[in-house]
Amino acid sequence: MQEYSTELQWALVIIISAFMYFISPWARNTKDFFKGESREKKSPSVFLLTSSLVISWIFAKSISNAANLGANYGIVGGVGYASYYLSFLVGGIVIYRLRVKGAFKSIHHFIQSKFGRSAVIIFSVLIAFRLFMEVWSNTMVIGSYFGDAGTTNYFVAIIIFTVTTLAYVIKGGLKSSLWTDLIQMFLFVIILVVVLGYILPRHQPSSEFLTSGIWNAQNGLNLLFVGLIQVFSYPFHDPVLTDRGFISTPKKTLYSFIFATVIGAVCIILFSFIGIYAKLEGIEGKESAFEVSKTLGVGVMLLMNLIMITSATSTLDSTFSSFSKLVVVDLKIFKEVTISNGRIAMIIITILGTIPVFFNPEILSATTISGTMVLGLTPVFIFWRMRVHKFAFHASVFCGLIFGLILAFKIYPQSWIFLNGPYNDLLSLNIIGVSACILIFVVSRLVLPKKMDSQENG
């Protein structure tokens, strides 16, 4: 059965890739490619923008992590991971105010106006690193469905999946990404409902899914508080989210971000049910979703594979289009803003982002550690109207980077860890780190010379 299912999985990848290439529109001009304008030159609707936001943020790695956390900690793990989707709410409100109160046209416009060119460069490095991680962390999940890490099938699946995704998004840039996101969101919801409809009745009573966790620090609750801290900085280092905050009217955008908060969080919690099912049934394995699918037959395995392909594809095409805009439009690394230069940028991130898969990095750390490294963005965006010295940006951001590196290399003193349970080090360092970043940012207003203050906007 394994050989048969593998052949079907390959067929599934080819069919989906061909379909996405067929429906993906060609960009006629740079506004199509970088801003996603429709043929009628209209901005995306609330429905289209909400769909794109949700499916672009339901990464393959997010689905995998949600299932694994559900298996480890029950509903507490699912809710803890879903807390990151409050990033939509925070990001939506801040972006709305930046546009309406500050008249800013992009995140880079805001950073440039308030903190200068050097801040733009530093900020761009942060988000480029984020996009770089999105490539390998999602394609690795796809590879795991075709073979064990390090096997030929594993690497071939990653390469084919990455190249075929690039093939369709390179046609139309953000326009391609938006329209394929709508199809991918539709497929995702249908398949998720079918899979849950198959799993839930197999374990009675079904209420055990909602009561499967214990709400304390020893059972994963720390991750919920990490998410609640990081949502005030996390959304602003993700151009996939922020780019979509400036392509429609302010009100449409705000509504879309609010709807995406609810829909995204619910989807992640529901997907954690697959991991909870594994826990209740005693199914063990590193990847809970994959292990569950193997016990339910070829049909469910293919549906689970389709969910992963759909979510990973939507994230990957959004990553390519956002990196293209970052390099060509925001940083103006090329002399001209052209579609050709945008396509070259996509090819570059495809190559660079695929290299780490050969070194088997940890997927969950792609979210938690990167979230810690950008804690310094919290005061920058939450206190965006505060008049501060331009140095405040640099000091706060570098403070967050330092805490992220301390966490990544585990070089902190044990006295800094004042909590118990799983993720106690992550939560402790996030509390200390965000407090330090806010303190540095605010103090700069008090101690640095007034003549060096940045100009207030809005």
Side-chain angles (χ1 to χ4, degrees), residues 325-380:
K325 176 179 174 291
L326 171 66
V327 170
V328 179
V329 178
D330 297 325
L331 294 180
K332 295 180 173 57
I333 290 178
F334 295 96
K335 291 182 179 180
E336 296 180 314
V337 177
T338 65
I339 294 176
S340 296
N341 288 336
R343 289 169 175 159
I344 291 172
M346 287 183 179
I347 294 172
I348 291 172
I349 190 62
T350 301
I351 296 171
L352 294 178
T354 303
I355 292 174
V357 303
F358 299 98
F359 300 94
N360 197 30
E362 288 294 326
I363 293 175
L364 181 59
S365 64
T367 297
T368 56
I369 292 178
S370 70
T372 302
M373 293 179 74
V374 296
L375 285 175
L377 294 177
T378 299
V380 171

Side-chain angles (χ1 to χ4, degrees), residues 21 31 56 233 278 356 358-359 403-404 416 439:
Y21 185 85
K31 286 187 177 181
S56 295
S233 57
F358 299 98
F359 300 94
F403 275 93
W416 287 16
L439 181 63

Side-chain angles (χ1 to χ4, degrees), residues 6-16 146:
T6 300
E7 291 174 358
L8 288 175
Q9 288 174 175
W10 280 113
L12 198 60
V13 170
I14 294 171
I15 291 171
I16 291 175
F146 290 84

Side-chain angles (χ1 to χ4, degrees), residues 400-419:
L401 284 172
I402 290 170
F403 275 93
L405 292 172
I406 288 173
L407 178 65
F409 293 103
K410 298 185 182 299
I411 53 176
Y412 46 82
Q414 285 302 309
S415 59
W416 287 16
I417 312 304
F418 52 87
L419 298 167

Side-chain angles (χ1 to χ4, degrees), residues 20 28 86 140-141 156 167 174 199 234 255 393 401 446-447 452:
M20 292 302 171
R28 298 167 300 165
L86 288 172
M140 282 177 61
V141 176
V156 170
L174 184 56
I199 288 176
Y234 197 83
Y255 290 146
F393 175 91
L401 284 172
L446 304 175
V447 301
M452 294 294 289

Side-chain angles (χ1 to χ4, degrees), residues 45-304:
S45 65
V46 172
F47 181 70
L48 178 60
L49 191 55
T50 300
S51 299
S52 183
L53 283 166
V54 173
I55 197 64
S56 295
W57 252 51
I58 300 181
F59 319 131
K61 70 178 177 66
S62 296
I63 291 175
S64 180
N65 288 340
N68 292 339
L69 289 167
N72 292 333
Y73 307 112
I75 191 67
V76 180
V79 173
Y81 202 66
S83 66
Y84 277 92
Y85 286 76
L86 288 172
S87 294
F88 284 129
L89 182 61
V90 175
I93 293 173
V94 172
I95 289 173
Y96 177 82
R97 292 182 62 82
L98 284 173
R99 295 180 65 182
V100 174
K101 300 294 184 181
F104 294 110
K105 298 179 180 179
S106 69
I107 294 294
H108 279 76
H109 181 204
F110 161 66
I111 298 292
Q112 174 79 46
S113 300
K114 186 150 187 166
F115 302 106
R117 180 65 179 174
S118 61
V120 168
I121 294 173
I122 293 171
F123 179 71
S124 298
V125 170
L126 285 177
I127 63 177
F129 182 65
R130 158 78 180 190
L131 294 172
F132 163 75
M133 290 199 300
E134 286 306 324
V135 178
W136 61 259
S137 62
N138 281 281
T139 56
M140 282 177 61
V141 176
I142 298 300
S144 67
Y145 274 70
F146 290 84
D148 295 331
T151 62
T152 300
N153 280 347
Y154 173 82
F155 290 124
V156 170
I158 288 174
I159 293 171
I160 290 177
F161 172 76
T162 305
V163 171
T164 53
T165 302
L166 174 65
Y168 79 75
V169 75
I170 209 169
K171 289 175 60 181
L174 184 56
K175 186 175 182 179
S176 292
S177 181
L178 287 171
W179 282 105
T180 54
D181 282 349
L182 182 62
I183 303 299
Q184 290 155 349
M185 184 65 193
F186 180 73
L187 288 173
F188 177 86
V189 171
I190 291 178
I191 297 167
L192 179 58
V193 170
V194 172
V195 171
L196 290 177
Y198 193 83
I199 288 176
L200 295 181
R202 293 172 69 95
H203 190 90
Q204 297 295 333
S206 296
S207 60
E208 286 190 42
F209 285 86
L210 296 175
T211 59
S212 56
I214 302 174
W215 295 85
N216 60 33
Q218 297 298 327
N219 291 276
L221 189 59
N222 286 338
L223 185 61
L224 171 62
F225 294 114
V226 171
L228 294 178
I229 291 172
Q230 292 190 356
V231 294
F232 292 98
S233 57
Y234 197 83
F236 304 110
H237 89 301
D238 183 8
V240 170
L241 183 152
T242 56
D243 284 351
R244 284 159 174 75
F246 293 87
I247 60 176
S248 192
T249 64
K251 281 192 176 181
K252 282 184 182 179
T253 301
L254 181 59
Y255 290 146
S256 298
F257 274 68
I258 292 172
F259 294 149
T261 303
V262 177
I263 297 170
V266 169
C267 285
I268 287 298
I269 292 172
L270 289 177
F271 211 93
S272 73
F273 281 14
I274 294 173
I276 296 172
Y277 175 82
K279 180 180 182 180
L280 295 174
E281 294 293 316
I283 300 172
E284 298 181 355
K286 186 176 180 181
E287 294 294 334
S288 296
F290 181 57
E291 296 301 328
V292 168
S293 70
K294 290 196 299 185
T295 69
L296 300 177
V298 174
V300 175
M301 178 183 286
L302 290 176
L303 287 176
M304 199 77 73

